[in-house]
Amino acid sequence: MVKTPKFAVIAVPAACLVIFLVSMLPPVRTRLEIWTAEIQMVLNPPQDMVFVPQEQIRQIEFSVSATMQALNATATPSPTQAPQTEMPTGPTSTPTQTPTPTMTPTPLPGSAQITGMEFQTQTGLWNYCGPTALAINISFWGDKVLREEVGTYLRGGTPTERTDDKNVMPYEMENYVRDETNLRMIIRSGGNLEVLKALIAAGYPVAIEKEDDLQNIGWLGHYLTLTGYDDGRQIFNSMDTYHGAGTEYSYEKIEASWRAFNFLFWIVYPPSEEAAIMAILGPYADNEWATRRALERAIEETATQEGLALYYAWFNVGTSYVQLFDYGPASVAYDSAFSVYAQLEEKERPWRMLWYQTGPYFAYYYTGRYQDVYNLANQTLEAMTKPILEESFYWRGLAREALGDIAGAVDDLRTSVALNANFSPGWAQLARLQP
């Protein structure tokens, strides 16, 4: 019998251990995740999947005039409020202020640039644009914080412990600012280039949520901090945590990529600056006004856009109605969005949309369309390299409960909090189902 050399008995396990430990380093793990995603997209293209709502109305055609009448009517909140704290695009309350100020009449300069911001990169930590962008904006006000510190709170674990959370929602970032800093954060939908420039000209960095298209892995959402603009060159300057400090974007590019997220923007600021910021925001200081403006714009764009932009327009109609707690029109708008999605070329489809925006879950759940919630969450998870999206597990769990599968609901809710230990909606539902 041939004996294994003693050194091999020690060396092989040691080599395996070294390889394992190296693979757990955030930069290496990030690279491995990208390679895995690239391979999956070749072998099993997620763009092939098309969600078809069970109750989808064939050939939906919203009458723009009728919808505009509905817009002008007072939105009636759903009699059953959401049994969790999650909201898809930010808080429903407005920071403490009394009358809504009007937009400042001061003409904006032709260009402006904010200085003194320390750049942090998300390099080496995949899906880390949210924590990194937030760290940059917090640090601007003198409270130096690193991306890892912010990310540990937002993602329910340190970079070494967990890097699986695919997205940080705006409301989660607002919770961090409120609970962990002396600053405040305001989130609004329906923004435009002028309000971005007005904030920058006054010395306030402003962040937006936009689409990005990364080589080999396709469509993604991305937080981008804007720090300057130049009307002559028609460009914004940015602190782009992925593409680098000083990355420039044309006005046209910002407008087009921003549409994917209902023109959402957010600002971090100290309480002493609140009055000045509200004056700059003008009517956007009122969250409901901003939401209705977003809805109005989205409705208009359903009649003027086509292709991918039309899909975004219908999706934004649904998202705005969800923010107004008007789930009936929201569900029909999302039906229209998914109908447009099915007609897009596969390479155009933003198949990761539900990683970032959970409005369809709200709309379908609160109109009693539990099977659609289940199917949509299931498809979203199946399209992933690893099914690790806590929000989709959460909503699939609620749908399972409504459909009578309590054990399945508990399993999904447990998974949601296992993926993110700070995911409070999941804990709340588990406490309800397992008192």
Side-chain angles (χ1 to χ4, degrees):
M1 183 176 66
V2 178
K3 293 185 178 181
T4 303
K6 291 183 178 180
F7 79 90
V9 175
I10 300 173
V12 172
C16 292
L17 178 60
V18 169
I19 292 171
F20 172 77
L21 293 175
V22 169
S23 71
M24 289 297 100
L25 294 173
V28 177
R29 187 173 176 180
T30 295
R31 189 65 256 175
L32 290 173
E33 287 179 350
I34 294 175
W35 285 339
T36 302
E38 291 173 353
I39 292 170
Q40 178 184 343
M41 290 186 66
V42 173
L43 299 179
N44 186 29
Q47 300 95 321
D48 290 350
M49 296 185 180
V50 173
F51 173 68
V52 180
Q54 284 199 343
E55 300 180 32
Q56 184 176 32
I57 302 171
R58 300 294 181 183
Q59 305 298 326
I60 296 173
E61 294 183 359
F62 258 11
S63 166
V64 175
S65 60
T67 308
M68 290 301 293
Q69 290 177 11
L71 169 65
N72 293 328
T74 301
T76 304
S78 169
T80 306
Q81 294 299 315
Q84 75 289 322
T85 57
E86 179 193 0
M87 284 300 293
T89 53
T92 56
S93 60
T94 304
T96 52
Q97 89 273 354
T98 39
T100 300
T102 56
M103 206 68 154
T104 176
T106 306
L108 296 177
S111 64
Q113 180 63 49
I114 296 171
T115 59
M117 295 193 75
E118 287 189 40
F119 180 68
Q120 296 186 45
T121 176
Q122 69 182 84
T123 301
L125 293 174
W126 192 233
N127 299 311
Y128 235 74
C129 71
T132 309
L134 187 56
I136 291 173
N137 281 270
I138 291 171
S139 298
F140 175 71
W141 296 105
D143 188 7
K144 177 68 175 178
V145 63
L146 298 177
R147 59 179 187 169
E148 292 85 357
E149 180 182 341
V150 179
T152 297
Y153 176 100
L154 294 175
R155 296 159 62 92
T158 66
T160 302
E161 293 169 335
R162 182 180 292 108
T163 61
D164 285 342
D165 191 4
K166 292 298 185 183
N167 177 56
V168 172
M169 298 289 185
Y171 82 91
E172 293 177 300
M173 293 193 289
E174 187 207 16
N175 289 345
Y176 177 86
V177 172
R178 182 194 63 227
D179 297 340
E180 301 295 319
T181 77
N182 294 318
L183 303 172
R184 294 178 182 176
M185 180 172 175
I186 186 171
I187 306 167
R188 293 292 182 265
S189 298
N192 58 40
L193 300 187
E194 291 306 304
V195 73
L196 299 180
K197 293 194 293 183
L199 288 163
I200 293 169
Y204 301 109
V206 55
I208 65 173
E209 192 168 14
K210 61 181 282 292
E211 67 176 355
D212 208 334
D213 198 343
L214 303 184
Q215 186 178 11
N216 299 330
I217 60 173
W219 190 97
L220 290 166
H222 188 52
Y223 291 112
L224 178 70
T225 300
L226 302 176
T227 60
Y229 71 88
D230 187 329
D231 285 339
R233 298 177 57 211
Q234 294 282 289
I235 58 98
F236 280 104
N237 194 276
S238 73
M239 289 281 186
D240 191 319
T241 60
Y242 186 85
H243 298 286
T247 302
E248 296 179 347
Y249 289 91
S250 69
Y251 289 174
E252 182 180 8
K253 180 67 173 178
I254 290 293
E255 187 89 15
S257 60
W258 197 14
R259 178 176 288 108
F261 289 88
N262 207 18
F263 303 98
L264 181 145
F265 65 97
W266 50 266
I267 316 125
V268 173
Y269 59 93
S272 60
E273 299 293 327
E274 184 162 287
I277 287 177
M278 293 303 165
I280 295 167
L281 291 176
Y284 282 99
D286 185 322
N287 186 53
E288 183 173 339
W289 183 94
T291 303
R292 291 188 177 279
R293 175 64 196 116
L295 175 58
E296 182 181 48
R297 178 173 184 174
I299 290 171
E300 291 169 352
E301 290 192 341
T302 62
T304 60
Q305 300 296 326
E306 59 184 16
L308 182 58
L310 179 60
Y311 165 73
Y312 291 147
W314 277 119
F315 202 98
N316 292 341
V317 171
T319 297
S320 296
Y321 271 125
V322 164
Q323 288 182 293
L324 293 168
F325 304 102
D326 202 352
Y327 300 117
S331 65
V332 180
Y334 286 128
D335 285 346
S336 295
F338 290 124
S339 179
V340 174
Y341 182 94
Q343 300 171 37
L344 297 175
E345 292 185 30
E346 290 181 7
K347 63 181 180 180
E348 276 192 292
R349 293 174 180 167
W351 62 272
R352 294 184 176 96
M353 196 72 158
L354 270 291
W355 292 19
Y356 308 97
Q357 302 189 65
T358 56
Y361 294 140
F362 280 86
Y364 293 149
Y365 184 85
Y366 290 110
T367 52
R369 296 171 56 173
Y370 307 123
Q371 191 63 51
D372 279 333
V373 175
Y374 178 88
N375 291 346
L376 182 58
N378 214 41
Q379 180 175 303
T380 300
L381 293 168
E382 287 179 354
M384 305 178 75
T385 308
K386 293 165 58 181
I388 49 175
L389 203 62
E390 69 265 29
E391 292 87 1
S392 288
F393 276 107
Y394 171 84
W395 282 104
R396 193 175 74 175
L398 291 188
R400 279 181 158 173
E401 179 195 3
L403 293 168
D405 181 9
I406 305 301
V410 171
D411 284 346
D412 277 346
L413 291 169
R414 284 175 176 167
T415 301
S416 75
V417 297
L419 290 171
N420 185 342
N422 291 333
F423 186 56
S424 57
W427 288 114
Q429 293 304 316
L430 278 173
R432 181 179 60 81
L433 289 176
Q434 296 183 310

